[in-house]
DNA sequence: ATAGGGTTAG
C-alpha cells in the first residue's frame, strides 16, 4: 500500500510540492485521452514504416505543420504523464494508448515508458517490461540498455546476457554502457566465459582504456576466483581511482587474502599512487581487520573514519561494531553501538552476534528484548545471533522458545544456520538423539557443517555409535575433512575403542591425510609469538615450561583437575594429564603470565577449537594469577577473569 | 535526440 502510493522521488518533485492528488491526475489523463480520441487510432504492425505515418500529402502543407505540432504536444503531454505516473491503472491506460497509436514508433516515448516500468520501484515489473519491449517494432540500443540494466539487477541476470546476444545479432553496436551492464549480469551468475567474450568486444570496439569498464570486469574476475587475473587487469587500468582500488581490495577479501587487503590501505595512499581511501575503502578494511583479528589496524581505520567525517554513516558504524567484536573487544563495539544514531536491524544484529561470539549469551538475549522494545523488527540474521547466543551459554529452553516464536510471530523461515545453532546446543547439552532427530526432520538438506557440529557433540559425550553414523553422513556428502577424522579418533579413544582408532590412524597414514596441528599465537609489545603443540622452539622455552609446571601445581591447589577426554593415546589417566599440559594455548598463556605483570589482559588466538581442559585451565588461572585472558579460537571468543568466564562455565 | 556504468554493513 505505502509502496504503491509513494511518489517517484526522482521525477515527481513537482507533484509532491503542489500535492496533486491522484484524482487530479486522472482528470488530466482523461482530458488527454479525450483529445486523442479525435485522432484516428493507428493500428501498429511490426513492419510499419514510421515515416509514412508522419508524412501526410505534400499539398496539405498547412495541415502538416498543424499535425506535427499537434503530435508534438500530444507527445509532450504523454511524456509528462509517464514521468508523474504512480498508479498501475494509469500505467495500463498509458500502455494501451502507446501501443494503439503511432507513439509506439517514437523511441523517446518507448524509452521513457520502459524506464518507468523496469526501473522505478513502485511500478517495477520485469515481465511486464519485457512484454512491452517485445512490442516495440524497432528497439534501439537505448531500449536494450534499459532492459539489460534492469535484468542485471533482477533475479534473472542471465536473461540480460541473452538480450545482449540478441542485440548483437540485430547488428546494433552496443556502447560501453551496454558492455558494463552485461558484465554486471555475468558477475551475478559468475559467468566468466561470457565476461571474457565481452572483454574481447571491449578491445575490438576500442574501449580498452575505459577505466570504469575495466573496473567492472575486474570485479567479475574477482568474483570468479581469478584474483591473479583481476590484479593483472588492475595494472592495465590507465586511471586508477578510489573505486578501482576498492575493487582490488574487495578482490583480496573475496579470495581469502585479507592480509594483502590490509597492505593496500597504505599502498594506495603512498607517494606513488596518491589515492584517498573513501567510506567504502574503510568498510572493506574493517572486514579485513575482523578476519585477521587485527585490532590495532582496525583502530587506525576507526580514527581515519572519524577524521574524514564518515562516522555518521550507519554502514560504517555497523561494520565497526563487527570489527571490534570479532577482535574480542566488546567494550569498543558497545561504545560505537551506544553512540550511533538510527540503529537499524543490522546494528542490533551486529551487537547481538558480537555478544554471542564473545560468550555473553544472556546479555545478547537482553539486547534482543531491548531491540524489540525500540520497535526494530528482527530478521533471519538476528535470530542466528540470538540462537547462537543460547548455544554458547547452554540455554536450551530459551532457544527452543525463541525458535518456536521465530516462525510463528516473526514469519522467519528457519534456515540452515538456525538449525545449526540448535544442533550445537542440543548436542552440547547431551541430547544427542534429539539433535539427530532434529536434523532428520529438517525440510532443508543438512550440510556438512551441521553434521560436523553433531560429530563434535558426539566427541564431547563419548558417543561412538552415533559418532560413526554421523561420520557416515559426512562421507555420503563427500565432505569429510582432516579435522573430522581427528574427531572420530577422539571419539574412539574416549570410548576405549583402540582397534577402530588404530584403523583410522592407519587409513590417514596410507592416504597421507595431513591433520592441522594446533597452533596458538600471542602478541606482546608488537611481536607475534607462535606456539605449536609440545613446542620447544621458543627462545625462552625453558622458562616457559618451568612456568607451566608451576602454574599446574598452583591450579591443582585451586581445584583444577585435568579433563582427559581430548586425548588420543591409550594410556592411564595420570599420563594423560601430563600429555595435555602441552596444548599450544597453554604454552602461549604460560608465556603470557611469564612476560606480563598481574592485572594485564592476555590475548591468545588459536587456529582450532579450544578443548574443555584448556578452557577450565584458563578460567582457574585467570583468578589465581590475576590476569584477564581472552582466547579466540576457530569459532568464538572465551573471556576469562577472576576465575570465571563470560559463558558461565558452559564450554 | 532519448539514459547512463564500477566498489559497500550484521
Amino acid at each position: 500500500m505505502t509502496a504503491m502510493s509513494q511518489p517517484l522521488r526522482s521525477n515527481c518533485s513537482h507533484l509532491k510540492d503542489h500535492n496533486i492528488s491522484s484524482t487530479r491526475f486522472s482528470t488530466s489523463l482523461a482530458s488527454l485521452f479525450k483529445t486523442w480520441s479525435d485522432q484516428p487510432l493507428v493500428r501498429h504492425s511490426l513492419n510499419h514504416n514510421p515515416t509514412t505515418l508522419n508524412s501526410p500529402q505534400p499539398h496539405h502543407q498547412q495541415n502538416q505543420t498543424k499535425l506535427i505540432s499537434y503530435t508534438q504536444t500530444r507527445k509532450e503531454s504523454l511524456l509528462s504523464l509517464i514521468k508523474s505516473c504512480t498508479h498501475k491503472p494509469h500505467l495500463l491506460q498509458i500502455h494501451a494508448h502507446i501501443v494503439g497509436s503511432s507513439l509506439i514508433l517514437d523511441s523517446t516515448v518507448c524509452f521513457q515508458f520502459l524506464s518507468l516500468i523496469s526501473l522505478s520501484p513502485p511500478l517495477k515489473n520485469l515481465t511486464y517490461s519485457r512484454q512491452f519491449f517485445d512490442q516495440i517494432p524497432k528497439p534501439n540500443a537505448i531500449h536494450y540498455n534499459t532492459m539489460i540494466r534492469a535484468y542485471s539487477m533482477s533475479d534473472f541476470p542471465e536473461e540480460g546476457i541473452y538480450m545482449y546476444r540478441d542485440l548483437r545479432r540485430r547488428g546494433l553496436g552496443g556502447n560501453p554502457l551496454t558492455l558494463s551492464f552485461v558484465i554486471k549480469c555475468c558477475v551475478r551468475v559468475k559467468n566468466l566465459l561470457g565476461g571474457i567474450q565481452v572483454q574481447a568486444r571491449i578491445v575490438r570496439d576500442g574501449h580498452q582504456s575505459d577505466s570504469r569498464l575495466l573496473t567492472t570486469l575486474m570485479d567479475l574476475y574477482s568474483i570468479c576466483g581469478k584474483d591473479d587475473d583481476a590484479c593483472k587487469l588492475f595494472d592495465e587500468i590507465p586511471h586508477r581511482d578510489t573505486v578501482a582500488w576498492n575493487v582490488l581490495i574487495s578482490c583480496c577479501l573475496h579470495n581469502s587474502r585479507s592480509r594483502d587487503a590490509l597492505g593496500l590501505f597504505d599502498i594506495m595512499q603512498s607517494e606513488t599512487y596518491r589515492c584517498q581511501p573513501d567510506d567504502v575503502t574503510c568498510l572493506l578494511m574493517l572486514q579485513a581487520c575482523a578476519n585477521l583479528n587485527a585490532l590495532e589496524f582496525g583502530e587506525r581505520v576507526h580514527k581515519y573514519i572519524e577524521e574524514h567525517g564518515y562516522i555518521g554513516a550507519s554502514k560504517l558504524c555497523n561494520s565497526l561494531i563487527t570489527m571490534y567484536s570479532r577482535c574480542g573487544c566488546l567494550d569498543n563495539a558497545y561504545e560505537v553501538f551506544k553512540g550511533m544514531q538510527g540503529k537499524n536491524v543490522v546494528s542490533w544484529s551486529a551487537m547481538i552476534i558480537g555478544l554471542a561470539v564473545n560468550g555473553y549469551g544472556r546479555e545478547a538475549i537482553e539486547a534482543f528484548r531491548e531491540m524489540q522494545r525500540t520497535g526494530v523488527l528482527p530478521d533471519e540474521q538476528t535470530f542466528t545471533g540470538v540462537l547462537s547466543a543460547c548455544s554458547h551459554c547452554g540455554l536450551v529452553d530459551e532457544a527452543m522458545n525463541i525458535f518456536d516464536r521465530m516462525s510463528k510471530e516473526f514469519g522467519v523461515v528457519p534456515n540452515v544456520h538456525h538449525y545449526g545453532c540448535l544442533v550445537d546446543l542440543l548436542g552440547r547439552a547431551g541430547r544427542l538423539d534429539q539433535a539427530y532427530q532434529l536434523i532428520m526432520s529438517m525440510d532443508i538438506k543438512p550440510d556438512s557443517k551441521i553434521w560436523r557440529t553433531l560429530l563434535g557433540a558426539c566427541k564431547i559425550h563419548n558417543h561412538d555409535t552415533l559418532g560413526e553414523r554421523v561420520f557416515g553422513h559426512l562421507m555420503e556428502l563427500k565432505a569429510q575433512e582432516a579435522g573430522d577424522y581427528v574427531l572420530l579418533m577422539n571419539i574412539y579413544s574416549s570410548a576405549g575403542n583402540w582397534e577402530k582408532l588404530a584403523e583410522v590412524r592407519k587409513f590417514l597414514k596410507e592416504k597421507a591425510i595431513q591433520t592441522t596441528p594446533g597452533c596458538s599465537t600471542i602478541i606482546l609489545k608488537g611481536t607475534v609469538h607462535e606456539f605449536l603443540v609440545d613446542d620447544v622452539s621458543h627462545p625462552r622455552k625453558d622458562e616457559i615450561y618451568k612456568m607451566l609446571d608451576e602454574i599446574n601445581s598452583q591450579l591443582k591447589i585451586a581445584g583444577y583437575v585435568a579433563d582427559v577426554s581430548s586425548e588420543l593415546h591409550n594410556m592411564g589417566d595420570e599420563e594423560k594429564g601430563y600429555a595435555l599440559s602441552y596444548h599450544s594455548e597453554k604454552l602461549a598463556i604460560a608465556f603470557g603470565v611469564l612476560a606480563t605483570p598481574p592485572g594485564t589482559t592476555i590475548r591468545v588466538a588459536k587456529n582450532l577449537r579450544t578443548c574443555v581442559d584448556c578452557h577450565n585451565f584458563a578460567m582457574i588461572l585467570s583468578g589465581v594469577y590475576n590476569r584477564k585472558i581472552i582466547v579466540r579460537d576457530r569459532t568464538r571468543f572465551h573471556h576469562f577473569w577472576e576465575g570465571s568466564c563470560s559463558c558461565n562455565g558452559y564450554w
Side-chain angles (χ1 to χ4, degrees):
Chain A
M1 168 61 205
T2 36
M4 282 305 287
S5 54
Q6 189 120 23
L8 303 179
R9 297 248 174 265
S10 49
N11 296 333
C12 311
S13 48
H14 60 287
L15 253 185
K16 208 179 154 207
D17 291 343
H18 303 297
N19 197 18
I20 295 178
S21 66
S22 63
T23 29
R24 277 190 61 190
F25 180 93
S26 298
T27 324
S28 68
L29 190 74
S31 61
L32 183 77
F33 289 156
K34 202 169 153 232
T35 49
W36 281 359
S37 57
D38 299 335
Q39 281 285 106
L41 286 183
V42 182
R43 275 269 141 248
H44 127 76
S45 85
L46 287 188
N47 304 323
H48 230 110
N49 185 347
T51 44
T52 52
L53 270 166
N54 287 333
S55 47
Q57 303 308 311
H59 56 272
H60 291 129
Q61 271 307 340
Q62 254 194 327
N63 278 355
Q64 190 191 7
T65 350
K66 256 191 195 166
L67 187 66
I68 287 171
S69 76
Y70 186 73
T71 319
Q72 210 55 38
T73 6
R74 213 178 68 173
K75 178 177 154 184
E76 304 274 291
S77 10
L78 185 79
L79 285 179
S80 76
L81 270 183
I82 291 174
K83 280 182 184 159
S84 53
C85 178
T86 52
H87 285 71
K88 211 176 165 189
H90 301 155
L91 191 83
L92 296 175
Q93 277 175 292
I94 294 173
H95 183 190
H97 280 271
I98 293 174
V99 175
S101 71
S102 59
L103 286 165
I104 190 69
L105 300 163
D106 186 301
S107 55
T108 310
V109 169
C110 289
F111 164 72
Q112 292 288 353
F113 188 69
L114 201 57
S115 302
L116 175 73
I117 58 180
S118 63
L119 299 170
S120 312
L123 299 171
K124 202 162 95 180
N125 181 334
L126 222 74
T127 321
Y128 185 39
S129 307
R130 183 52 182 271
Q131 259 173 35
F132 178 72
F133 177 88
D134 289 337
Q135 287 172 316
I136 303 174
K138 281 194 174 158
N140 62 19
I142 294 165
H143 299 137
Y144 270 101
N145 278 4
T146 313
M147 283 308 296
I148 298 173
R149 182 178 173 216
Y151 277 128
S152 77
M153 300 182 287
S154 75
D155 294 335
F156 325 99
E158 53 286 285
E159 203 58 39
I161 302 173
Y162 295 137
M163 287 211 81
Y164 171 68
R165 299 212 175 111
D166 192 44
L167 171 114
R168 296 229 71 93
R169 257 199 305 277
R170 285 178 181 238
L172 294 165
N175 50 30
L177 237 77
T178 323
L179 300 173
S180 107
F181 293 141
V182 189
I183 301 172
K184 267 232 118 155
C185 293
C186 294
V187 169
R188 293 282 310 279
V189 294
K190 301 195 179 185
N191 182 344
L192 184 59
L193 209 63
I196 290 171
Q197 286 167 354
V198 177
Q199 188 176 15
R201 172 58 56 187
I202 291 173
V203 176
R204 245 178 298 169
D205 290 356
H207 300 307
Q208 64 273 42
S209 42
D210 185 325
S211 300
R212 289 193 189 181
L213 256 183
L214 298 184
T215 312
T216 328
L217 204 55
M218 246 182 93
D219 194 39
L220 176 69
Y221 280 113
S222 149
I223 294 294
C224 295
K226 303 283 179 193
D227 47 329
D228 291 336
D229 292 314
C231 293
K232 249 183 248 161
L233 205 55
F234 180 78
D235 291 335
E236 286 170 25
I237 297 178
H239 175 72
R240 282 167 234 150
D241 60 3
T242 303
V243 181
W245 283 95
N246 290 347
V247 177
L248 184 66
I249 293 166
S250 104
C251 173
C252 293
L253 282 174
H254 282 134
N255 293 283
S256 325
R257 289 168 63 170
S258 297
R259 202 159 287 283
D260 293 334
L262 277 199
L264 289 171
F265 189 68
D266 289 321
I267 294 174
M268 70 186 282
Q269 293 181 75
S270 68
E271 283 299 310
T272 333
Y273 300 108
R274 295 173 174 281
C275 197
Q276 275 297 307
D278 64 2
D279 50 341
V280 177
T281 321
C282 294
L283 214 54
L284 296 164
M285 281 304 145
L286 292 177
Q287 281 187 59
C289 293
N291 291 345
L292 295 167
N293 197 23
L295 179 60
E296 278 173 41
F297 205 109
E299 282 172 332
R300 234 185 91 194
V301 178
H302 189 171
K303 220 170 120 196
Y304 185 96
I305 289 169
E306 279 173 342
E307 282 167 4
H308 288 75
Y310 296 145
I311 200 70
S314 71
K315 270 190 188 181
L316 278 174
C317 290
N318 296 337
S319 213
L320 277 169
I321 296 170
T322 302
M323 184 276 290
Y324 280 125
S325 33
R326 284 184 60 192
C327 288
C329 208
L330 264 187
D331 291 341
N332 293 17
Y334 185 64
E335 206 58 39
V336 175
F337 177 77
K338 214 170 52 181
M340 81 179 282
Q341 299 283 316
K343 302 178 185 71
N344 59 18
V345 59
V346 180
S347 330
W348 281 100
S349 308
M351 199 62 238
I352 290 170
I353 291 166
L355 288 164
V357 297
N358 283 279
Y360 293 92
R362 297 201 179 276
E363 289 80 354
I365 291 164
E366 188 44 51
F368 176 59
R369 294 207 186 96
E370 182 62 28
M371 167 188 181
Q372 284 165 270
R373 274 195 286 275
T374 60
V376 177
L377 273 177
D379 67 7
E380 266 191 348
Q381 301 197 54
T382 320
F383 283 105
T384 307
V386 181
L387 291 173
S388 88
C390 296
S391 93
H392 286 21
C393 295
L395 305 167
V396 184
D397 297 333
E398 188 83 55
M400 286 310 184
N401 184 329
I402 290 171
F403 183 74
D404 200 44
R405 284 172 54 206
M406 178 174 86
S407 41
K408 283 185 187 145
E409 270 178 51
F410 298 97
V412 173
V413 182
N415 64 27
V416 69
H417 303 289
H418 302 137
Y419 282 116
C421 293
L422 289 191
V423 169
D424 187 50
L425 182 60
L426 291 170
R428 283 164 182 273
R431 290 150 78 163
L432 294 171
D433 293 327
Q434 201 182 340
Y436 187 78
Q437 288 309 320
L438 180 71
I439 297 180
M440 297 314 271
S441 72
M442 283 167 22
D443 39 11
I444 41 180
K445 191 175 159 37
D447 63 358
S448 57
K449 266 177 93 177
I450 290 230
W451 288 122
R452 193 162 294 125
T453 303
L454 188 53
L455 188 64
C458 291
K459 192 225 122 182
I460 299 171
H461 298 285
N462 311 330
H463 200 319
D464 59 338
T465 46
L466 185 61
E468 272 181 341
R469 200 179 332 159
V470 171
F471 195 83
H473 284 288
L474 277 168
M475 300 216 300
E476 225 172 79
L477 292 171
K478 294 188 173 58
Q480 69 278 34
E481 294 170 358
D484 301 331
Y485 288 103
V486 175
L487 278 178
L488 188 66
M489 289 196 293
N490 272 311
I491 292 169
Y492 286 141
S493 165
S494 311
N497 196 339
W498 312 117
E499 283 146 44
K500 288 271 181 79
L501 173 63
E503 241 173 65
V504 182
R505 240 201 211 120
K506 200 173 140 221
F507 176 80
L508 288 184
K509 207 169 173 187
E510 276 169 12
K511 299 271 170 188
I513 294 172
Q514 294 283 324
T515 56
T516 319
C519 171
S520 298
T521 55
I522 179 169
I523 301 177
L524 289 173
K525 290 183 195 138
T527 315
V528 182
H529 300 263
E530 192 178 76
F531 298 90
L532 295 174
V533 200
D534 300 322
D535 205 327
V536 286
S537 62
H538 196 274
R540 295 176 70 179
K541 67 170 194 300
D542 292 336
E543 286 174 80
I544 295 170
Y545 277 92
K546 215 179 133 209
M547 189 68 199
L548 200 51
D549 280 344
E550 191 198 307
I551 292 173
N552 271 325
S553 45
Q554 288 292 323
L555 295 196
K556 239 174 226 166
I557 297 166
Y560 163 70
V561 182
D563 184 320
V564 293
S565 62
S566 298
E567 275 314 294
L568 281 178
H569 307 284
N570 179 9
M571 51 172 132
D573 275 6
E574 206 161 311
E575 286 171 280
K576 280 187 186 176
Y578 181 72
L580 270 173
S581 28
Y582 301 117
H583 269 182
S584 63
E585 52 269 63
K586 286 190 179 175
L587 291 170
I589 291 171
F591 180 56
V593 174
L594 188 72
T596 63
T600 25
T601 299
I602 297 175
R603 294 174 170 272
V604 171
K606 183 176 182 180
N607 63 340
L608 305 174
R609 290 202 58 161
T610 299
C611 70
V612 203
D613 180 60
C614 288
H615 184 276
N616 295 339
F617 174 88
M619 184 163 73
I620 298 171
L621 186 144
S622 72
V624 175
Y625 285 87
N626 184 24
R627 302 289 202 290
K628 199 173 169 191
I629 303 172
I630 303 176
V631 178
R632 182 194 65 147
D633 70 12
R634 254 186 97 129
T635 54
R636 63 183 75 166
F637 282 89
H638 309 264
H639 293 246
F640 308 98
W641 71 99
E642 295 171 10
S644 65
C645 64
S646 55
C647 55
N648 298 325
Y650 188 86
W651 175 74

